[in-house]
Amino acid sequence: MNISKAKILSLLDLTSLNDDDTPAVIDALCRNATQAIGKVAAVCVYPPFVAQSRARLPESSGINVATVVNFPTGDEPLADVLAQTQQALADGANEIDLVFPYKALQQGNAAAGEAMCNQIATLVHQQAGSLKVILETGALSPAEIAQAAQIAIAAGADFLKTSTGKIAHGASLEASAILLDQIAQAKQPVGLKISGGVRDIATAEAYIAQAAAKMGADWVQPENFRIGASSLLKELISC
């Protein structure tokens, strides 16, 4: 499958989620969101940098501003996550990446994930935003991945996302195959975001080819498929 650099760039959520992020780092991230070959789908930053990112990337730019909540552990109180989400939306985020309470799921408490996804989806959709649910697939068994995906989809997730990128095991083709199976069975449109370990074009191409084989080549568009990365950009814009 021949995939252009411009195509991969258009699928990118250009991400900076580092403990040492500063306003200068975020300014540089926003500048890099537009390149000679095109622009990324979104930038993804920590909540304190949402307002800055939106100021640098007005809605007219066509570049979305994403942020993370319940991140990275997935075990914050629901009231706190709702407050984080409300503030992020007020600051200008139009995409919320929510960590599914995967530890609760492993302990037999699937209801925690259902309640959180339902309430955050309602809040996000009231503001015409998009919800990506991070399933932290590297910490889950195949059966748990499928179960979490089903809960997230039923609650109104717009995307399933593989990973936070903050644990040892990030995305894998095996996990993304499970998510694509659940997406294919969904009664409403659901996208896929690959995150956690995509650092070169060859890896990105493998996930794109997998998604195209399952869902069709036309499905692999920014409204359905994203890659969360930062280091990938350097290879995309190199000669």
Side-chain angles (χ1 to χ4, degrees), residues 125-145:
H125 294 156
Q126 284 173 347
Q127 302 296 321
S130 179
L131 175 64
K132 308 188 200 91
V133 178
I134 307 171
L135 302 182
E136 200 66 289
T137 56
L140 300 176
S141 70
E144 289 168 340
I145 294 171

Side-chain angles (χ1 to χ4, degrees), residues 81-135:
V81 181
L82 284 165
Q84 293 168 13
T85 304
Q86 184 65 66
Q87 186 62 57
L89 293 168
D91 286 345
N94 54 356
E95 297 187 353
I96 300 295
D97 289 23
L98 165 73
V99 181
F100 186 91
Y102 64 94
K103 297 171 191 173
L105 179 73
Q106 291 175 314
Q107 295 164 3
N109 183 10
E114 182 178 1
M116 183 168 289
C117 289
N118 267 311
Q119 293 194 46
I120 299 300
T122 297
L123 185 57
V124 172
H125 294 156
Q126 284 173 347
Q127 302 296 321
S130 179
L131 175 64
K132 308 188 200 91
V133 178
I134 307 171
L135 302 182

Side-chain angles (χ1 to χ4, degrees), residues 7-46:
K7 173 70 171 184
I8 297 173
L9 182 72
S10 75
L11 303 171
L12 196 64
D13 279 9
L14 188 60
T15 301
S16 190
L17 296 171
N18 302 309
D19 292 340
D20 59 354
D21 282 344
T22 64
V25 167
I26 301 306
D27 274 349
L29 186 81
C30 292
R31 286 195 299 271
N32 284 328
T34 301
Q35 298 291 332
I37 62 171
K39 60 188 179 183
V40 303
V43 297
C44 185
V45 298
Y46 276 125

Side-chain angles (χ1 to χ4, degrees), residues 157-176:
D158 299 293
F159 279 78
L160 302 178
K161 179 177 172 182
T162 56
S163 318
T164 62
K166 298 297 185 180
I167 67 169
H169 300 287
S172 70
L173 288 166
E174 293 75 18
S176 59

